[in-house]
Amino acid sequence: MRRALVMPFRGQIRGTIMCPRDKSLSHRAAFIGALSRGRTVITGFSFCRDCMSTLSCIQALGVEVHTFPEEGKVVLQSEGHTSFCEPEDVLNAENSGTTIRLMAGIAAGIEGLTILTGDASLRRRPMRRIIEPLRKAGVDIGGRGGDRFPPLFIRGRKRIAPFFHVLEVPSAQVKSALLFAALWGEGPSTIVEPLPSRNHTENMLQYVGVTLRKEDGAIIVEPPQVIRASSFELPGDISSAAFLMSLALCVPEASLIIQDVGLNPTRVGFLQCLERMGGKYSILAKRETFGEPRGDILVTYSELQATSIGPEEIPLLIDEIPILAILAAKAKGKTVISGAQELRVKESDRIRSVACGLRALGVRVEEKEDGLVIYGPCDFQRGVVQSFGDHRIAMSFTIAGLLSTEGVIIEGVDCVDVSYPTFFADLGKLGITTITLEEVL
Ligand code: S3P
């Protein structure tokens, strides 16, 4: 296990950088490629740990997977979903909630037994939200702890019963699992979202020829559908870009361009929030691929103000809350984050992890059942922060360390590989030389 000794950064942040390609889109491109018959070329695939778990799952179904990490490319050759074989072994999604949940939707349509598990963190994450709707559709599925947690077993069927399901939480992972499962329905299925969550699966399915009907927050899938083998060129991940942007926002005179970042409206809650906080950014070179806008983000040093983030905005910035909490500590006033109870069941309990970390650095913070109240502006004092094995916590507090007065130690930083393997190298590219990674026995 490694720890990071992060000393204050007093230099300049200037220039242009690429962040990793989008993790959510990479998972979906791999799963959709597997479902289609023929060859799928994915450029700009994210070779992070989570997406590698997805590749190993589809490989276990009989899909040929060729990886070219230097070119950021994956080529899949599949006979399509009707050819999927019963996996010979347990499939391990490691740390990836997206892998296990989307894979469960796909396994619903595989005749035979699929067993899905994950690492210690994933085995604590809620699964009833996918088990219940799939069971209603006639799938024999269950999980540990009275259907609460992985491992999951799934005995799928060639055709499942059509279903009507209202999501209890606005979760794109659950929605996507059900969209995949609905493809093997004996008739039309309907999925209703209480609030909009990221819509990449819908966009990509439509791009490969699947017809989806959308009516007042409901998505209707009418099988059978033919999935066309396609190619995807994926943009950068705004959830990773958010760390670099936050650093630039807080370093005097900074001006940084992050190239080719995905700007899907269901993912840009972070940018909307920055606008309210007085964060200065602009979008350059905007274009669109498979229904997803993308562009360069130019961000400059800004004096930040506190803001409020409420329940309806949470799904649009769910993964950016830890880094927003760091910005809130630097912003003037009281920032209130509410309706964010989903954070308690992420890779760590992120409400608790963020509150512990901020407190360790001397920030005044109140932990609520469904959010946080953070009082700024303040200096990050010298302290030791635990990552709780959570990539976004490790990266958020690395940024806090760079902005601190005397330096911060972050315990457990190997987890950054889960979404952003080149995180420390990219900070190096920006001229940051104040981070030392140390092996801990
Ligand atoms: C994701 C959806 C979100 C997000 C996760 C990735 C996805 O989870 O937190 O990191 O790719 O669909 P939920 O859908 O469970 O909120």
Side-chain angles (χ1 to χ4, degrees), residues 85-87 107 109-114 140 154-158:
C85 48
E86 178 182 61
I110 304 176
E111 278 187 318
L113 176 68
T114 304
D140 184 15
I154 303 151
R155 276 182 206 284
R157 308 161 36 154
K158 231 186 206 117

Side-chain angles (χ1 to χ4, degrees), residues 17 46 61 95 130 153 157 220 252 254 267 316 323 334 376 401 414 434:
I17 193 159
S46 168
L61 302 180
N95 196 243
I130 51 164
F153 77 86
R157 308 161 36 154
I220 301 146
R267 289 287 298 281
L316 313 179
I323 188 64
K334 172 177 157 185
D414 293 312
T434 56

Side-chain angles (χ1 to χ4, degrees), residues 230-249:
S230 303
S231 290
F232 297 98
E233 191 220 331
L234 307 181
D237 197 325
I238 192 157
S239 301
S240 300
F243 298 106
L244 308 177
M245 289 181 70
S246 299
L247 179 65
L249 284 165

Side-chain angles (χ1 to χ4, degrees), residues 232-271:
F232 297 98
E233 191 220 331
L234 307 181
D237 197 325
I238 192 157
S239 301
S240 300
F243 298 106
L244 308 177
M245 289 181 70
S246 299
L247 179 65
L249 284 165
C250 296
V251 170
E253 293 173 46
S255 173
L256 180 67
I257 293 178
I258 305 163
Q259 286 177 309
D260 195 20
V261 182
L263 297 168
N264 177 315
T266 60
R267 289 287 298 281
V268 295
F270 176 72
L271 299 182

Side-chain angles (χ1 to χ4, degrees), residues 377-408:
C378 68
D379 286 330
F380 295 115
Q381 290 160 17
R382 172 209 294 261
V384 179
V385 171
Q386 306 297 326
S387 73
F388 298 97
D390 183 332
H391 53 132
R392 300 203 196 277
I393 300 298
M395 292 188 277
S396 299
F397 283 95
T398 299
I399 301 299
L402 293 171
L403 302 173
S404 67
T405 48
E406 292 175 87
V408 171

